Amino acid sequence: MRVVLLTSVFSLARTQDGMPDMSSMMGGMGGGGGMGGMGDMASMMGGMGGGGGGMGGMGDLASMMGGMGGAGGMGGMPGMGGGGGGGEPPPEPFPAVKSDVKFIACSTCKALARKLHAESSKWGPAITGSEEAIAGKVAEMCDTASDAGSWITEYDMVESSDGKRIDLKRHSQKGECEVECNTIKQACKDVLQEADIEVTSTLYKAFKKKKLLDAKALTAKMCTSDDAAAANMDGGCAAKRPKIPKNRKAGPAFKAKVLPPDMSKLDASEPQSSNDADDKDKPDPPKLDEAKSEL
């Protein structure tokens, strides 16, 4: 008798709405026969009776699934609304010391100009003929993850004996990019923030006229002349040298990057090419701890 009654109710509801009110339809079955283990269908389905539209009782998916937390093997699904594998990236384990950037801004600018000159000599027509492409290559110069920006990992920040300045010293091997590496990278980005548009335009015009700047001229254009793009930034080459606080602690020692055995052999077998016009930027090859100061 109950089955006949439910069939009639289901048929009538489907004719009117296209979907029955599940909580009403199942209301009388809570204690019947083998259905006892299903619990309260209205709770399990999270309110499938109230939705509108063509689906009748579907409603909001998160609401529909909200009550499924206690149903059998679904206990680990507290709802469909809050998942997702996204989120913010983990914090940088070795953040830059931004207060140190002004102490190395001028030295970083000079090193960047020399490296940019060397790198630009490798560019082909597809890059040199496009100002936008040149801008992209210039931006890579401060990205330590790129080949063009890996030069930063060779440098170390070293306090002078009198404590009045911080020099950049280049080692003969790339190092781990930790606090000082990231600080130099930040200084590089700050220089480009001041100089990237002018430098890009200068390089583009030089390539177009086939009158390339040498390293010294590019350094002057970026860093050292009175009207250089980055000359007057905080700590720039034309600005007054900032005083280093007496209580500033010296940074960590340079840590050479350890390559896997096969990569070490490959790295040692390949000669390091450099097109820098300034020979002072070349490292002394034999010892890892030997370094040259960037004045």
Side-chain angles (χ1 to χ4, degrees):
M1 185 68 180
R2 181 179 296 177
V3 173
V4 173
L5 179 59
L6 283 173
T7 302
S8 300
V9 171
F10 182 84
S11 299
L12 179 59
R14 184 172 57 186
T15 301
Q16 292 178 350
D17 267 341
M19 179 67 82
D21 182 343
M22 189 64 74
S23 59
S24 299
M25 185 184 79
M26 300 301 291
M29 294 185 66
M35 299 292 286
M38 290 186 67
D40 182 358
M41 183 65 75
S43 299
M44 185 180 78
M45 296 304 291
M48 284 183 67
M55 292 297 289
M58 291 300 289
D60 178 71
L61 182 58
S63 300
M64 183 184 79
M65 299 301 291
M68 293 187 69
M74 299 291 285
M77 296 178 65
M80 300 286 286
E88 296 182 0
E92 167 60 54
F94 302 103
V97 181
K98 294 186 177 181
S99 59
D100 278 355
V101 167
K102 58 183 175 289
F103 304 132
I104 59 170
C106 179
S107 296
T108 302
C109 187
K110 291 178 180 179
L112 171 61
R114 287 191 294 272
K115 292 299 178 182
L116 180 56
H117 175 266
E119 194 69 22
S120 65
S121 66
K122 306 173 187 176
W123 298 343
I127 297 172
T128 59
S130 166
E131 196 164 356
E132 184 178 352
I134 291 174
K137 285 294 185 180
V138 169
E140 286 181 10
M141 297 300 299
C142 297
D143 180 5
T144 53
S146 71
D147 289 339
S150 64
W151 64 272
I152 294 173
T153 67
E154 299 172 0
Y155 282 81
D156 187 18
M157 294 169 56
V158 179
E159 293 75 12
S160 63
S161 57
D162 59 8
K164 292 183 178 180
R165 69 179 189 275
I166 299 175
D167 296 324
L168 292 189
K169 291 188 176 180
R170 186 185 177 194
H171 292 259
S172 58
Q173 182 176 335
K174 290 180 173 60
E176 298 291 346
C177 196
E178 298 185 352
V179 173
E180 293 192 345
C181 170
N182 282 319
T183 302
I184 298 170
K185 179 169 73 171
Q186 184 63 53
C188 183
K189 289 180 177 180
D190 287 359
V191 168
L192 282 190
Q193 188 173 356
E194 300 291 330
D196 59 346
I197 294 176
E198 185 172 339
V199 168
T200 298
S201 176
T202 298
L203 289 172
Y204 175 68
K205 291 175 182 177
F207 281 119
K208 195 172 182 179
K209 295 178 181 178
K210 297 183 179 180
K211 294 182 179 180
L212 305 184
L213 300 176
D214 59 23
K216 187 175 181 180
L218 186 58
T219 302
K221 188 72 175 175
M222 286 181 62
C223 316
T224 57
S225 65
D226 290 339
D227 60 346
N232 293 296
M233 64 181 290
D234 194 8
C237 298
K240 186 177 180 181
R241 175 176 286 180
K243 290 184 178 181
I244 299 175
K246 291 182 179 180
N247 60 352
R248 178 190 174 277
K249 294 182 180 179
F254 181 83
K255 187 188 296 184
K257 190 171 187 177
V258 179
L259 297 175
D262 53 339
M263 292 298 292
S264 298
K265 292 177 183 178
L266 180 64
D267 189 59
S269 64
E270 293 182 356
Q272 294 184 354
S273 61
S274 174
N275 293 312
D276 288 10
D278 189 349
D279 289 338
K280 291 187 295 183
D281 195 41
K282 296 179 181 178
D284 295 330
K287 297 180 181 179
L288 295 183
D289 60 346
E290 287 189 356
K292 291 183 67 65
S293 175
E294 297 293 339
L295 298 179

